[in-house]
Amino acid sequence: MKVEQIYTGCLAHAAYYVESNGEAAIFDPLREVQPYINRAAKDGATIKYVFETHFHADFVSGHLDLREKTGAQIVFGPTAKPGYEAIVAEDGQVFSVGNSRVKVLHTPGHTMESTTYLLIDENGKEHGIITGDTLFIGDVGRPDLARHVVFELTQEKLARHLYHSLRDKIMPLPDDLIVYPNHGAGSACGKKMSKETTDTLGNQKKTNYALRPDMTEDEFVHEVLNGLTTPPGYFPKNVVMNVKGYESLDAVLKRAKHPLSPVEFEVTANVTGALVLDVRNPEEFAKGFVPNSINIGLNGSFAMWVGEMVKDINQKILLITEPGTEEEAMIRLSRVGYDHTIGFLKGGFEAWKAEGKPVDTVNRISAAEFETYYNKNVPVFDVRKASEYDSEHVINVENVPLNAIYEHLALFPKDKEFILHCAGGYRSMIAASILKQLGYDNFADVVGGFAEIAKTTVPKTAYVCPSTLL
């Protein structure tokens, strides 16, 4: 049996490819499915099954497109109610993949249909568990997401289900099993996942706080629910797409791959009301950009921040990219359900500038210049997460987390200058582009963010480890 983890860092997402004797299974695939098809073709294998550990919230799965392109059967765990043809497996049901087997272990808690898949090799040896969002490395799945879709499922009820799933289904398994989770550090599906993406179950029993053998159910509920932040707004929308179905990625890309000259681009933006999304690096955006465009750079947690900041998942989008990255941007938007890209600026921003079209810029200052402004009592806004701010921040600055900026616009003065910063400059440029779009022009962004500010003599709070805060 061959088991490969296919990890996508920008989403902190892991899919899995399992192959035995010419048959293959894909677990929790992303929206673009051709890489999985290519991987199976390399082995001369037929994709027999697409296993889903649960209805995902943080991405749109590729299970439907894989079924259409390969004929593979989709498998969900018990209680799942998909709006399309799929196998809803029974607890303990076994599926054959070549000479290996996949056993269904119903592990509700993250969601009610959450399922762990036990991999059994050709010799009958239990090899590993594909745990989805039930068990991560160093953490477990947050039990508060499903209530945003099914309101009678309280987070406490789900946490109690998760406690028993872990202790009744997973902890009794052999210590030498390899744990294959759906996410690693950086995902919003947990709160303190390890940067490692696999481990042995035995080591997790020793090191994962949620698997302590002497932990009571009430202690587990308290610790799992403590420190949870509000989930990104697009999560429930992705769940609905995964439950009900969605348009094929091929159709989405066909609509999106529409090159527009600067004149056509401007007219289309005005006529359709599309959001102009500039996905270049923050440094390039600051030097010059199309007025009223929003910057969310591809070289960062792009899809997650689009999902956080663009509230309408059906929003029409026009793209400005570095030439050659248009399709990458379109695919990464579709991974989180933003399927309504209607075109892109042919030739990118340079083509716009060459036509003599209006250009805007963002004022940026160094950390040394920031120190001067700070000493003059210029207002400062830190747009990092509250947990980052609580861990360490510049004294007497206001924390407005980026994902809450629209709710706190009244805090930003219009009659005097102010300063923005985040951790390194990615998020503060998103904030800067939003403020520019809203008519603010009286601020500066700090190059390098808090990482550079920390090197100055500006007074800061004592550092507190984020895990201590939790």
Side-chain angles (χ1 to χ4, degrees), residues 178-329:
I178 300 173
V179 177
Y180 296 109
N182 191 204
H183 298 293
S187 168
C189 292
K191 58 186 179 182
K192 51 182 179 180
M193 285 176 260
S194 169
K195 68 180 188 302
E196 304 300 328
T197 58
T198 61
D199 195 7
T200 63
L201 180 58
N203 194 51
Q204 282 303 292
K205 290 177 186 178
K206 295 176 184 176
T207 60
N208 190 317
Y209 77 96
L211 302 186
R212 294 200 311 270
D214 60 345
M215 196 179 211
T216 68
E217 184 173 333
D218 287 342
E219 287 172 339
F220 176 88
V221 171
H222 174 74
E223 291 192 38
V224 165
L225 297 182
N226 184 38
L228 290 177
T229 57
T230 303
Y234 71 98
F235 273 26
K237 300 165 189 173
N238 279 195
V239 172
V240 171
M241 292 179 71
N242 284 319
V243 171
K244 293 185 176 181
Y246 48 80
E247 192 175 15
S248 75
L249 181 60
D250 290 344
V252 171
L253 293 180
K254 183 178 180 180
R255 179 172 57 243
K257 290 181 179 178
H258 187 45
L260 299 166
S261 70
V263 171
E264 292 170 326
F265 189 88
E266 186 174 29
V267 170
T268 303
N270 291 333
V271 169
T272 65
L275 170 70
V276 178
L277 182 62
D278 189 323
V279 304
R280 294 175 298 150
N281 291 338
E283 296 79 12
E284 292 303 312
F285 180 85
K287 294 175 187 175
F289 61 91
V290 175
N292 295 317
S293 58
I294 298 298
N295 175 238
I296 304 179
L298 269 181
N299 293 335
S301 297
F302 171 71
M304 287 188 281
W305 279 113
V306 169
E308 283 275 22
M309 305 311 297
V310 183
K311 304 304 181 185
D312 183 2
I313 203 166
N314 296 314
Q315 171 69 57
K316 291 180 179 178
I317 294 173
L318 287 168
L319 287 171
I320 300 174
T321 75
E322 293 291 353
T325 64
E326 297 88 359
E327 183 172 333
E328 179 187 357

Side-chain angles (χ1 to χ4, degrees), residues 25-29 49-53 73 75 95 97 102 104 117:
I26 309 296
F27 295 76
D28 294 335
Y49 294 114
V50 184
F51 289 98
E52 292 286 320
T53 56
Q73 289 183 289
V75 180
F95 294 84
V97 178
V102 178
V104 174
Y117 295 104

